[in-house]
Each structure stands twice: as C-alpha cells, then as structure tokens.
Amino acid sequence: MKVMKLKIMFIALGLGFLAFLGLLAFVAIFISNEEHSLDSDDSIDEIGGISVSADVLKHQAMVEKYAKEYGILEYVSTLLAIIEVESGGKLKDVMQSSESLGLPPNTLDTEASIQQGTKYFADLLRSAKASGVDENTVIQAYNYGGAFIDYVAKRDTQYSFGLAESFAKERSGGSRVTYSNPIAKKKNGGWRYRYGNMFYVDLVSQYFISPHFDDEMVQIVMNEALKYEGFPYVFGGDNPNTSFDCSGLTQWSYRKAGINLPRTAQEQYDVTEHIPLSEAKPGDLVFFHSTYNAGTYVTHVGIYVGNNQMYNAGDPIGYANLTTAYWQKHLIGAGRIKQ
C-alpha cells in the first residue's frame, strides 16, 4: 500500500514538473515575441499596395533581404507580384530566374532563385535608367530579357503594349499560339506570339492595388506618399532626395494637398484635434509615444488609411498594421487636421 502511495506521489510530482516546464516555455515564447515586436520595426511593417497569395507572402522576408542587398527596397511589392506571376510561390525556382544565368528552367532552389531574380531585376533597372526608359519596360524585360530595354529606348522612352507585341512578333517570326489567359482574351481574342509573354506587364500589374479615397485631399496625400514606398527611414529626412523620417513624410505629403504641417511629430500632434483611433478616418494622423528617446511625449506619426492600417516612415517606408502588439503598446490616438 505504501509503495502504491509513493508511486502516485511521484507521478503527481512528475506531472506537476512537466506542467511547470510547459508554463516556463509559454512565458519564454511570450517574452521572446514581445521583445521581437519592440526591437524590430521591420517585422511589423506589412507590404501594402499588392494583393498576392499566402504562398507568395511567405517569401516576403527573403525578398526584402535581397532587395536591400541590391539597393532596390522600393521594389519589394513588384518582386512579390513577379513571384505570383512566375510561380504562385509554389515552385522551387519561385522567380523562374535559372534561365537568366543560362541554366535549365527550375535549376535554382528557392533562396538562390530570389537572390538571382532580385539581382537581375536590379541590373535591368540600372540599364533602364541609363537608357532613359520607364519602369514598365523593366517589368516586361524581366520576361523578355535586357534586349527589350534597348528596343524601347530606340523607339520611345515609355513602355507600351504595342512595343511589347512588336518585339515578340520580330523574335518569333510572327508565329502565334493560342493563350487562355483572360487578359489575352480581352486584348486580342486569346493568342500571343511564340516569344516570351507580351502580356507580362498586365499580368504583374493586376496584383497591384491602387488605393482610392472618396476625399480628394486624402487621395492627393496618398498619391504622393506612395511614391516613396520602400524608401529607407532617414532620421531628419524631409524630402525625396534625403528620404524621410516619420514627420518629414507626413509634412511633405500633406503639403502637396495644400496643407502645411509643422515639422516634428510632437508639433503635428499639438495642432490636430485629438480623437480615439476608433473614430479615425482615412487622412487623419496617428500618433505614438516612447518609440525612442526623443525628449518629447509624441515620437512617431503615420497616416491613417482605414481598416486599422497606417502608412508611415518605418524602415522601410510602407504600411503597418495598428493591431500588432508594438503599435498598441505605443498608441496615443488619432489626430484630425484642423482646416
């Protein structure tokens, strides 16, 4: 009987110890997540302006890594849209970039594919800048190859579907193939030339979201602010030549709509009507405290765009989800600009 009681006691102690270990693990995970949200603003910035699948978004961090390495952080959204078109995020060679190295299709693994695809896109951007052609030419060249940049430069400075079509016609010798994509059906009855994909710009662009606001002032502000998505955060920056800090971005963007805001986050807070976030409308400002030691209570500001999202000069500049633990911890509230 005593042996049985001892066994029960040891079992109970063992279960209690396991429960204690589980509690410690839970606490460790909680602390780790909280520290991560406090120390890394990059982790809380979300890609805005595009609508791509979860299979593509899981590659976002790696795309950002190599976009930063090759100096094209502002093109992260474009690179993700390219992944959606090329593979839907599901193939090993997600950017289908093996062939840009002269390798057979699907040779590269996922990270090598993203590294090479991003490098290739950066090389095309430099070539386009030297030739004076636009960014849609670069997107089409990702599919056609760099020769398309020279082709456009000799005929125009802007991409057009007509140029993409004529390039494919020349390269294919006029050979056609039926093509079931809805864009092709809409444009020319559902065929394309047997060289590359002359609808590539349309295929990539369909994943971009152009935010629309009923308020004309808000639309002007956001049209300007979105030009700098992907730009790095620069303390003291207040114009496109230097990039921006948080209040520099809001001051610059609102000025385009004829609204003159003071320079710092604290000063902008002081001149607005203070309202809770629940009453905020697109175009209001959102304010935060203690995000760094600035010597003032208000230390960060962003533009509210609706649905608990803001657009702000994080690092890089972009959208952020206001429901995350980091922003909730530092949130003061919204501010409506007095006009």
Side-chain angles (χ1 to χ4, degrees):
M1 192 68 174
K2 288 183 179 179
V3 173
M4 181 64 71
K5 287 182 178 180
L6 284 171
K7 285 183 178 179
I8 292 172
M9 182 177 70
F10 281 122
I11 290 171
L13 286 170
L15 291 173
F17 182 70
L18 288 174
F20 177 71
L21 289 177
L23 178 60
L24 286 178
F26 173 80
V27 171
I29 292 169
F30 177 83
I31 293 172
S32 174
N33 287 342
E34 175 65 5
E35 287 176 348
H36 185 65
S37 68
L38 290 176
D39 294 339
S40 176
D41 282 359
D42 287 352
S43 69
I44 57 178
D45 286 327
E46 298 185 348
I47 289 295
I50 56 168
S51 177
V52 292
S53 66
D55 286 323
V56 171
L57 284 177
K58 69 184 181 183
H59 301 297
Q60 177 184 328
M62 195 173 292
V63 170
E64 289 175 346
K65 171 186 173 182
Y66 288 110
K68 184 175 184 179
E69 179 176 331
Y70 295 114
I72 57 169
L73 262 175
E74 64 267 37
Y75 291 96
V76 168
S77 294
T78 302
L79 294 168
L80 289 171
I82 286 173
I83 291 175
E84 186 70 72
V85 172
E86 293 290 345
S87 69
K90 296 178 180 179
L91 300 178
K92 179 179 68 172
D93 184 359
V94 289
M95 292 193 74
Q96 294 292 286
S97 55
S98 297
E99 292 167 89
S100 68
L101 287 173
L103 299 172
N106 296 304
T107 301
L108 297 176
D109 63 26
T110 298
E111 182 163 3
S113 175
I114 291 173
Q115 181 178 17
Q116 172 57 23
T118 304
K119 180 180 183 298
Y120 181 56
F121 194 82
D123 291 341
L124 292 173
L125 282 167
R126 282 191 290 272
S127 178
K129 185 176 181 179
S131 300
V133 300
D134 68 337
E135 292 175 4
N136 277 340
T137 299
V138 176
I139 292 173
Q140 186 64 54
Y142 188 87
N143 178 256
Y144 275 172
F148 184 65
I149 291 175
D150 297 330
Y151 185 85
V152 173
K154 290 175 182 177
R155 292 161 178 79
D156 205 341
T157 58
Q158 298 288 319
Y159 162 89
S160 69
F161 176 72
L163 287 172
E165 185 177 19
S166 62
F167 184 86
K169 182 178 181 180
E170 288 183 17
R171 293 300 175 104
S172 67
S175 176
R176 299 183 180 186
V177 60
T178 56
Y179 189 48
S180 61
N181 187 276
I183 293 172
K185 288 182 178 180
K186 182 178 179 181
K187 282 204 166 187
N188 63 358
W191 60 267
R192 63 177 173 84
Y193 289 108
R194 289 182 181 272
Y195 179 87
N197 191 325
M198 63 191 190
F199 303 102
Y200 198 74
V201 168
D202 292 305
L203 291 172
V204 171
S205 298
Q206 68 182 319
Y207 296 105
F208 285 92
I209 302 169
S210 298
H212 175 75
F213 300 95
D214 293 334
D215 189 299
E216 183 180 0
M217 180 275 290
V218 179
Q219 190 68 56
I220 293 171
V221 169
M222 288 306 300
N223 286 347
E224 183 64 23
L226 285 165
K227 293 178 183 178
Y228 313 111
E229 184 176 5
F231 277 42
Y233 174 91
V234 174
F235 184 78
D238 63 358
N239 68 79
N241 294 324
T242 62
S243 195
F244 298 92
D245 62 17
C246 63
S247 54
L249 177 66
T250 52
Q251 183 188 54
W252 177 272
S253 301
Y254 280 86
R255 187 182 295 150
K256 294 296 179 178
I259 297 171
N260 293 313
L261 293 174
R263 178 61 184 87
T264 69
Q266 180 68 61
E267 291 170 340
Q268 292 178 11
Y269 178 77
D270 291 341
V271 299
T272 59
E273 176 190 349
H274 304 154
I275 57 175
L277 184 62
S278 60
E279 296 179 14
K281 297 178 181 178
D284 289 334
L285 297 174
V286 192
F287 295 99
F288 305 87
H289 67 85
S290 310
T291 54
Y292 73 106
N293 185 14
T296 58
Y297 176 59
V298 182
T299 58
H300 190 73
V301 60
I303 305 169
Y304 187 71
V305 295
N307 297 319
N308 284 313
Q309 298 281 317
M310 73 170 172
Y311 186 85
N312 76 128
D315 195 7
I317 294 172
Y319 291 89
N321 183 348
L322 294 171
T323 65
T324 60
Y326 179 85
W327 293 121
Q328 285 293 306
K329 179 174 181 176
H330 296 279
L331 176 67
I332 298 171
R336 185 154 295 158
I337 296 169
K338 301 171 185 177
Q339 300 185 56

